Amino acid sequence: MATTVKIDPLTRIEGHMKIEATVDGGEVKDARCAGTLFRGFEIVLKGRDPRDAQRITQRVCGVCPTVHGTAATLNLDSAFGIANKVPDNGRIMRNLILGANYLQSHILHFYHLTALDYVDVTSVADYSGDDPELNSVKDFITRGELAPFAPRYEGDYRFDKVTNQQLVKHYLMALDMRRIAHEMLTLFGGKMPHNAAVVPGGVTEQPTVDKITGFLWRLNRIRHFIDGIYIPDVIKVAKTYPDYFQIGDGPGNFLCYGVFDLDGRSSDYAKRDRLFNQGAVKGLSKLEALDPGKITESVKHSWYEDDDPRRPLEQVTKPAAHKKEGYSWIRSPRYGGEVYEVGPLARWVVSYLSGNKKVKETLEGCISDLGIKIDDLNSVLGRHAARALDTKVVADTMAEWLLELKPGEPVCAAYEIPEESEGMGLVDGPRGALGHWIRIRDRRIDKYQLVVPTTWNGGPKDEKGQYGPMEQALLGTKVQDPANPFELVRIARSFDPCLACSVHTLNFRGEKIASLRVV
Amino acid sequence: MSAKVYEIPAVYIAGAACSGCTVSLINTINPSVQNLLVDPVIPGKHISLRFHATIMAGQGEPVMKVLRDTAKEKPGEFVLIIDGGIPTGENGLFCTLGEIGGKEVTMMEMSADLAEKCLAVLAVGTCASYGGIPSGEPNPTQVKPVSDFLKGQGIDKPVVNIPGCPPHPDWIVGTIADILLNGLPTPDKLDEVLRPKAFFGQLIHDNCPRRAYFDAGQFARHTSEPGCLYEIGCKGPYTYADCPTRHWNNGVSWCVGAGAQCIGCVEPDFHDMLAPMFQKIGEPDLDRFKIKTR
């Protein structure tokens, strides 16, 4: 008999999310993902000074504000006609600011959002060593109030006691590491979350030798952690839960906007030289050049009046709260009409097939260490592995960029806000492809549109009946214990969903919304 | 660990939020996040954080029951921490927290229910304190700040606002420590918009390292230039917070320190009245501020 497994709220993600799976004969036959918070940023942005978009859109998400700030400034640079005028210092400091948050976001995701699905914290009750931090956790467990580490799913924790204890220690160390990544960012960015320094034209802060050195040595500590602890821990999880290379395969199509500008002279973000390459990969093999004209959003199973798929700046929003086929306020972004996964795995597949030397060498090493085939990467563990490799390559490259900064040289280009203009900012964030679009009229924002990574990954079915990537990853999954459906939460979290980012969302009900104008 | 440790239950729920307040809170250094979660943060007192959706191990209905059970088992004893404003449009449907018994519970219902039974409410961040960005014109989801929402529901509970977009971790931890040591703040410890004066008592402009430029009439025309940033929209002259002396992220820098304008993110007038962010506010607009500048 079919049963419905509902996980609401899905915790240890950014924001408010719900998963619903129909399980029949121990297997997921139908799946739905939806967000349960709607704020309407695009409505709030209308009519404002275009420059405020950089500050306001960072507030879309406190976990990955930096990439919204980056996409917004690229968008404004292009609308202001200065996309090719950002000085090298500005370009590099933007890379370092965004890179620092990549490290923060990925470390936080693996240890603090994901690890508790695999690691048993209560094993520390039997700890007999002399590590003061683990002993304070032991005292905590002994006192008996286990919140926030209980309640939890019970059952499939596979590590032995000593490894569990070691991983709890790493969870604690990782708290420091992600904090230091923010400190590093703040040296150039002013504060975190929500940095102050990234602005149209470049940055506001000057690179000075003391800041460069302070940044470098914080970075070195984090690189030691990535090489010595984070990557080995991902391998431990992979070796202990190897079945998760066969669980959670998505659509097999991958989209990446590229990220970390290596050259600021091209105004075309789809073509400029970036550390990770732009592109679209179909069926894990065929690479195409990125064509932003192919990006559309569908509304067939979202609560909007039926409409043809439209490009971002052409979206017309007519809510239809009682639409029978609707089950989400998230739209369904499509690329050339098809479903694409975005995120670190997509980034790595696209760069790998683009022949990116750094990526190719690192990925081939990882595949051989893990004893897997490249196809196995389309899985829960593949996403975690790609995220860890992402962290390493970004951190290592940041150390090179730091030495390219030239104290005393310009950090920002001048600009005028045009009377009328349009812009587009494309960049990959920690969670994947992020696009900001703007239309300016009378020097004010006439329309601002965001298509964010979790909208790509977490959106509903489209007019062709194609499920969204997360839904596809859930479909066909064998659930051992419907009361403790570890498989489902491990799949969902492997996408690192960020619900605050998928701004168009609401809940499954949504009666009486018809009067609302949702952009 | 022989001394008796008292468990102080706390639940942290998020409405129209971005998780930035949580991410800022876990940037705390002394105490560390680990200290906050597992150690008695003040000798003999441990905060038992029973619900926090970003941190907690569990998910689904079992964690929703934790909220319900805390209200039932610990009435008048637990602290309610709210991050994000409360969307009240469409009867709260814009934000649901999860399901109990197959029924979705809105942020609106849950906030009212928990506030009714808690000891006190901490509104963390500018959205919870004053509405913040989601409440910006035209306030699409009719977001209300916690204190206004509770007043509207006829719930009379002590509320302390800890604004900031996000708040500095010291502001949150310091306010909690003060409550554990000295009890709920007496009215003289808070300003007229319920912020602890300890952190929000002084004007940014008065402690700004660029103040001498202002006094000498030397104004920057662009960010990244020396000079006072007032003419290009710095809101330091209207903003009460200790950023210039405390600094952010382990004392590394702050907005003006990085050559950027203060955007006034701790103020009740953030962000509509303080916008455009990079443009000087006209004198007539000053009269409309909720907080009068000295």
Side-chain angles (χ1 to χ4, degrees):
Chain A
M1 200 190 79
T3 52
T4 303
V5 178
K6 274 193 204 177
I7 302 166
D8 185 16
L10 176 70
T11 52
R12 279 184 283 117
I13 57 164
E14 194 303 318
H16 301 64
M17 191 180 204
K18 164 180 179 169
I19 299 175
E20 217 176 274
T22 307
V23 180
D24 196 356
E27 196 177 300
V28 177
K29 301 288 191 199
D30 196 11
R32 291 174 169 197
C33 300
T36 57
L37 164 68
F38 170 82
R39 290 170 300 171
F41 266 67
E42 288 145 335
I43 304 172
V44 170
L45 280 159
K46 191 174 163 67
R48 291 181 192 267
D49 185 319
R51 292 169 297 178
D52 290 4
Q54 194 279 347
R55 293 289 192 272
I56 291 175
T57 59
Q58 283 194 76
R59 271 79 182 172
V60 164
C61 175
V63 180
C64 43
T66 322
V67 74
H68 279 289
T70 307
T73 41
L74 290 173
N75 189 17
L76 296 173
D77 287 348
S78 93
F80 297 171
I82 51 166
N84 59 348
K85 297 205 169 63
V86 176
D88 280 346
N89 270 345
R91 171 181 61 81
I92 295 165
M93 285 169 78
R94 282 182 182 179
N95 282 348
L96 290 165
I97 286 171
L98 179 58
N101 201 50
Y102 257 68
L103 310 186
Q104 188 278 146
S105 182
H106 286 352
I107 292 171
L108 176 88
H109 178 258
F110 183 71
Y111 285 99
H112 310 119
L113 304 183
T114 295
L116 296 179
D117 289 336
Y118 303 90
V119 176
D120 179 7
V121 176
T122 63
S123 65
V124 181
D126 297 328
Y127 180 67
S128 56
D130 53 11
D131 182 279
E133 287 191 320
L134 284 178
N135 275 315
S136 90
V137 175
K138 184 181 174 178
D139 287 338
F140 160 79
I141 295 172
T142 312
R143 288 199 306 270
E145 289 276 346
L146 288 181
F149 302 106
R152 60 174 193 178
Y153 286 167
E154 296 297 343
D156 189 26
Y157 298 104
R158 302 183 197 168
F159 287 115
D160 61 49
K161 189 174 77 181
V162 173
T163 310
N164 264 319
Q165 291 170 352
Q166 190 188 38
L167 288 166
V168 172
K169 173 71 183 174
H170 295 170
Y171 175 105
L172 300 172
M173 288 170 76
L175 286 169
D176 272 342
M177 290 302 137
R178 60 146 300 281
R179 178 179 62 71
I180 292 167
H182 266 185
E183 252 177 64
M184 193 163 90
L185 193 160
T186 297
L187 279 167
F188 293 147
K191 92 180 209 299
M192 259 314 270
H194 307 326
N195 87 79
V198 177
V199 291
V203 296
T204 62
E205 180 62 295
Q206 304 286 344
T208 53
V209 170
D210 59 323
K211 287 181 205 123
I212 293 171
T213 317
F215 196 110
L216 179 65
W217 282 95
R218 284 176 177 88
L219 178 60
N220 284 343
R221 281 181 70 183
I222 296 172
R223 289 172 71 197
H224 287 144
F225 178 82
I226 295 166
D227 292 343
I229 294 178
Y230 175 22
I231 288 179
D233 283 351
V234 174
I235 294 171
K236 267 180 218 151
V237 171
K239 302 246 171 193
T240 311
Y241 295 83
D243 39 327
Y244 280 85
F245 276 120
Q246 311 306 327
I247 294 175
D249 57 315
N253 300 334
F254 299 100
L255 180 69
C256 177
Y257 293 165
V259 57
F260 300 115
D261 290 332
L262 301 179
D263 181 352
R265 278 169 297 184
S266 163
S267 296
D268 185 349
Y269 300 136
K271 295 206 175 88
R272 66 164 47 167
D273 191 16
R274 289 180 158 171
L275 176 66
F276 291 100
N277 305 78
Q278 303 88 331
V281 168
K282 237 181 122 176
L284 248 175
S285 58
K286 196 172 152 259
L287 176 74
E288 284 175 31
L290 174 65
D291 174 3
K294 288 188 175 178
I295 299 164
T296 57
E297 288 188 297
S298 300
V299 294
K300 178 70 180 175
H301 289 276
S302 314
W303 281 313
Y304 305 96
E305 275 180 29
D306 275 340
D307 194 359
D308 294 332
R310 283 178 186 263
R311 293 163 66 172
L313 277 180
E314 296 161 1
Q315 276 293 347
V316 182
T317 304
K318 293 180 185 156
H322 301 285
K323 185 166 127 183
K324 264 195 183 150
E325 309 97 308
Y327 65 90
S328 179
W329 284 92
I330 306 184
R331 287 197 179 92
S332 314
R334 294 292 179 259
Y335 184 79
E338 298 193 57
V339 182
Y340 278 72
E341 176 175 342
V342 302
L345 176 59
R347 192 150 53 235
W348 276 70
V349 170
V350 167
S351 285
Y352 179 76
L353 293 176
S354 304
N356 185 315
K357 196 164 162 271
K358 238 177 207 170
V359 164
K360 211 164 156 37
E361 281 170 11
T362 314
L363 189 62
E364 281 166 359
C366 162
I367 288 172
S368 111
D369 287 353
L370 290 169
I372 56 167
K373 301 186 300 291
I374 187 140
D375 289 2
D376 294 337
L377 288 172
N378 186 5
S379 64
V380 167
L381 286 175
R383 289 185 195 99
H384 289 301
R387 201 170 281 114
L389 299 182
D390 216 40
T391 318
K392 175 169 173 55
V393 165
V394 171
D396 290 352
T397 317
M398 284 166 74
E400 298 167 18
W401 291 332
L402 266 175
L403 302 180
E404 294 172 15
L405 287 170
K406 297 199 171 67
E409 293 199 0
V411 294
C412 200
Y415 59 84
E416 294 278 334
I417 302 174
E419 201 64 38
E420 299 202 345
S421 187
E422 282 187 9
M424 174 175 76
L426 299 180
V427 64
D428 245 47
R431 290 163 182 78
L434 172 64
H436 282 206
W437 285 262
I438 190 171
R439 187 167 59 228
I440 298 172
R441 293 282 178 270
D442 302 326
R443 307 182 78 220
R444 293 275 160 166
I445 297 173
D446 178 53
K447 186 165 182 66
Y448 204 100
Q449 193 76 23
L450 305 93
V451 181
V452 311
T454 299
T455 313
W456 282 100
N457 286 339
K461 284 192 283 191
D462 60 21
E463 67 282 356
K464 296 185 214 157
Q466 304 180 101
Y467 285 90
M470 282 179 72
E471 293 175 338
Q472 289 196 28
L474 292 166
L475 284 170
T477 303
K478 297 208 164 40
V479 179
Q480 303 293 339
D481 174 8
N484 295 283
F486 275 106
E487 297 87 353
L488 306 184
V489 296
R490 285 172 180 162
I491 291 169
R493 290 192 181 111
S494 73
F495 285 89
D496 192 4
C498 177
L499 269 292
C501 283
S502 56
V503 273
H504 316 271
T505 66
L506 195 90
N507 62 14
F508 282 117
R509 297 187 296 185
E511 303 90 14
K512 300 185 229 159
I513 305 284
S515 59
L516 182 85
R517 209 180 69 81
V518 186
V519 175
Chain B
M1 280 291 166
S2 51
K4 168 82 182 152
V5 174
Y6 290 95
E7 297 289 348
I8 302 181
V11 295
Y12 187 122
I13 56 173
C18 75
S19 299
C21 296
T22 292
V23 175
S24 185
L25 175 59
I26 66 174
N27 281 341
T28 179
I29 295 173
N30 294 304
S32 68
V33 200
Q34 181 192 347
N35 296 145
L36 279 181
L37 288 177
V38 307
D39 297 328
V41 68
I42 293 298
K45 290 175 183 169
H46 171 246
I47 299 163
S48 179
L49 185 61
R50 294 176 159 217
F51 187 98
H52 189 308
T54 321
I55 296 170
M56 66 198 310
Q59 53 263 310
E61 184 143 353
V63 301
M64 292 302 286
K65 284 184 180 150
V66 169
L67 285 176
R68 198 189 55 193
D69 293 348
T70 301
K72 211 183 282 173
E73 292 160 12
K74 306 277 178 185
E77 289 177 46
F78 70 95
V79 178
L80 172 61
I81 306 172
I82 297 183
D83 154 11
I86 300 171
T88 62
E90 303 299 340
N91 206 22
L93 280 175
F94 293 112
C95 181
T96 60
L97 296 184
E99 295 186 16
I100 297 181
K103 187 186 168 292
E104 284 167 332
V105 184
T106 63
M107 177 67 185
M108 227 173 112
E109 294 166 69
M110 189 54 90
S111 308
D113 196 35
L114 292 172
E116 192 96 56
K117 289 160 189 142
C118 72
L119 170 70
V121 186
L122 297 186
V124 170
T126 298
C127 298
S129 300
Y130 311 121
I133 298 249
S135 74
E137 185 57 33
N139 196 353
T141 62
Q142 295 302 303
V143 166
K144 282 192 178 167
V146 171
S147 51
D148 286 7
F149 170 72
L150 295 184
K151 212 172 284 166
Q153 299 276 313
I155 298 169
D156 184 21
K157 273 288 147 79
V159 175
V160 179
N161 289 332
I162 310 168
C165 192
H168 194 296
D170 290 1
W171 303 341
I172 309 173
V173 174
T175 304
I176 292 173
D178 188 35
I179 293 172
L180 294 183
L181 282 167
N182 305 311
L184 290 171
T186 47
D188 61 302
K189 280 189 171 179
L190 304 178
D191 71 6
E192 59 195 288
V193 284
L194 303 177
R195 299 179 286 199
K197 287 180 190 164
F199 306 112
F200 303 96
Q202 293 191 17
L203 205 55
I204 289 210
H205 192 53
D206 287 345
N207 294 311
C208 182
R210 297 195 186 213
R211 176 60 187 259
Y213 288 122
F214 177 86
D215 294 339
Q218 293 172 10
F219 295 99
R221 295 287 148 200
H222 304 283
T223 54
S224 82
E225 276 180 12
C228 172
L229 303 170
Y230 176 66
E231 292 288 337
I232 49 173
C234 181
K235 304 304 184 298
Y238 321 111
T239 304
Y240 289 86
D242 63 11
C243 302
T245 48
R246 184 171 303 280
H247 293 179
W248 280 71
N249 303 87
N250 205 9
V252 163
S253 192
W254 64 299
C255 298
V256 176
Q261 302 91 330
C262 166
I263 58 172
C265 75
V266 298
E267 290 301 313
D269 295 302
F270 179 74
H271 59 129
D272 280 349
M273 291 297 297
L274 294 174
M277 293 172 179
F278 306 125
Q279 201 171 300
K280 187 175 147 185
I281 290 189
E283 298 289 330
D285 286 329
L286 297 182
D287 292 342
R288 310 213 310 262
F289 281 21
K290 294 191 188 92
I291 294 289
K292 301 298 171 212
T293 306
R294 278 186 293 247

